């Protein structure tokens, strides 16, 4: 089942569970440990917490757009987004934690109070896709679950709900196909029908449990796969 096949309350519940999962791993970090590296090249945990906090604020702008009808982009520009994260990473540990708590509470409140009709309002993501504002549930789900693992302090793809893993893999494969990347790859998730990427003869078979295949496909390393695996194509 796809995440998008779930009823909206169930989608929001999974997003909230992911937020709690991220929050628990953040709470486990000492202030000094926020200076440590993540699974993302060039980003410390400070950058990651700032990004997750500001992402919630950006989604709130889409919810404002849905309610008022006044176009309110997630970010003014990609440069503004990058600058915001870079500056956010310089905040004190207490301010960073407060940023996360405040923006999470704000996003949750807006979800809870959004008028029913507004969930169908069309908004535009930072990547330029036009989607119903209900898509914010998936956008946030993806952010908090993946980035909890990126903090590199115990988060595991195996902790993600299967519906999130399956939907992530569908998104990644769809993006590879859209960009004509990954030709010759075959993804063999244990117990599932193999997925062939692109045309031509298969050159690399990536096989293993769902969580391991998704971790590899998302660019977070080859852990728990059967045999060696090349670097995956980019998907974002």
């Amino acid at each position: 089942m796809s995440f998008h096949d779930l009823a909206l309350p169930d989608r929001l519940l999974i997003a909230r569970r992911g937020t709690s999962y991220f929050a628990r791993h953040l709470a486990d970090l000492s202030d000094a440990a926020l200076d440590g590296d993540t699974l993302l090249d060039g980003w410390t945990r400070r950058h990651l917490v700032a990004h997750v906090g500001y992402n919630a604020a950006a989604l709130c702008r889409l919810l404002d757009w849905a309610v008022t009808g006044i176009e309110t982009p997630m970010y003014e520009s990609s440069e503004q987004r990058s600058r915001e994260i870079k500056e956010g990473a310089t905040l004190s540990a207490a301010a960073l934690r407060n940023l996360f708590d405040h923006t999470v509470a704000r996003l949750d409140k807006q979800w809870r109070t959004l008028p029913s009709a507004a969930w169908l309002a069309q908004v535009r993501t930072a990547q330029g896709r036009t989607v119903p504002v209900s898509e914010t549930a998936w956008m946030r789900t993806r952010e908090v679950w993946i980035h909890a693992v990126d903090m590199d302090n115990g988060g595991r793809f195996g902790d993600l709900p299967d519906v999130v893993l399956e939907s992530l893999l569908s998104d990644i494969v769809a993006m590879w196909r859209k960009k004509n990347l990954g030709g010759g790859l075959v993804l063999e998730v244990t117990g599932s029908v193999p997925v062939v990427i692109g045309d031509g003869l298969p050159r690399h078979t990536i096989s293993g449990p769902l969580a391991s295949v998704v971790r590899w496909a998302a660019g977070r390393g080859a852990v728990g796969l059967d045999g060696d695996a090349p670097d995956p194509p980019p998907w974002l």
Side-chain angles (χ1 to χ4, degrees), residues 185-201:
L185 282 175
V186 179
L187 307 183
E188 287 189 349
V189 172
T190 304
S192 300
V193 176
V195 175
V196 180
I197 313 298
D199 299 323
L201 295 175

Side-chain angles (χ1 to χ4, degrees), residues 57-58 61-62 65 70-77 124-126:
R61 288 191 278 274
L62 294 186
W65 181 349
I70 299 172
E71 183 173 337
T72 314
M74 292 181 68
Y75 306 100
E76 293 177 7
S77 64
R124 189 172 60 255
T125 70

Side-chain angles (χ1 to χ4, degrees), residues 10-185:
D10 294 329
R11 284 179 271 157
L12 292 173
L13 176 60
I14 292 173
R16 290 175 175 123
R17 284 176 55 200
T19 298
S20 296
Y21 185 74
F22 184 97
R24 289 198 303 274
H25 284 84
L26 175 56
D28 285 343
L29 292 171
S30 67
D31 289 351
L34 290 173
D35 294 323
D37 292 333
T38 67
L39 298 183
L40 302 177
D41 289 342
W43 271 20
T44 67
R45 290 169 176 147
R46 289 178 162 278
H47 291 88
L48 194 58
V49 176
H51 166 62
V52 172
Y54 288 130
N55 171 263
L59 294 179
C60 286
R61 288 191 278 274
L62 294 186
L63 294 166
D64 288 339
W65 181 349
V67 172
T68 65
I70 299 172
E71 183 173 337
T72 314
M74 292 181 68
Y75 306 100
E76 293 177 7
S77 64
S78 59
E79 292 77 17
Q80 179 264 330
R81 174 180 176 273
S82 298
R83 184 172 62 253
E84 187 175 59
I85 294 170
K86 183 176 180 180
E87 293 174 355
T90 68
L91 295 171
S92 69
L96 263 179
R97 295 179 193 275
N98 183 65
L99 169 68
F100 174 77
D101 291 341
H102 175 77
T103 53
V104 163
R106 181 180 161 203
L107 176 59
D108 195 61
K109 180 180 179 181
Q110 289 195 235
W111 273 341
R112 286 188 286 106
T113 60
L114 195 72
S116 297
W119 285 106
L120 299 176
Q122 298 290 303
V123 295
R124 189 172 60 255
T125 70
Q127 288 73 40
R129 292 188 303 129
T130 299
V131 298
V133 81
S134 58
E135 182 73 2
T136 57
W138 174 238
M139 294 164 70
R140 188 59 175 172
T141 293
R142 195 170 66 181
E143 289 285 328
V144 289
W145 283 107
I146 292 179
H147 287 323
V149 178
D150 288 335
M151 279 202 289
D152 199 21
N153 70 325
R156 303 180 310 118
F157 271 80
D159 292 337
L160 276 63
D162 282 353
V163 69
V164 174
L165 290 170
E166 291 164 0
S167 298
L168 276 172
L169 192 58
S170 293
D171 274 11
I172 292 169
V173 168
M175 189 59 68
W176 287 345
R177 287 171 171 162
K178 180 179 179 181
K179 295 181 177 180
N180 198 27
L181 298 173
L185 282 175

Side-chain angles (χ1 to χ4, degrees), residues 198-219:
D199 299 323
L201 295 175
R203 292 193 300 273
H204 297 287
T205 297
I206 310 299
S207 60
L210 176 62
S212 297
V213 173
V214 175
R215 179 185 178 115
W216 171 84

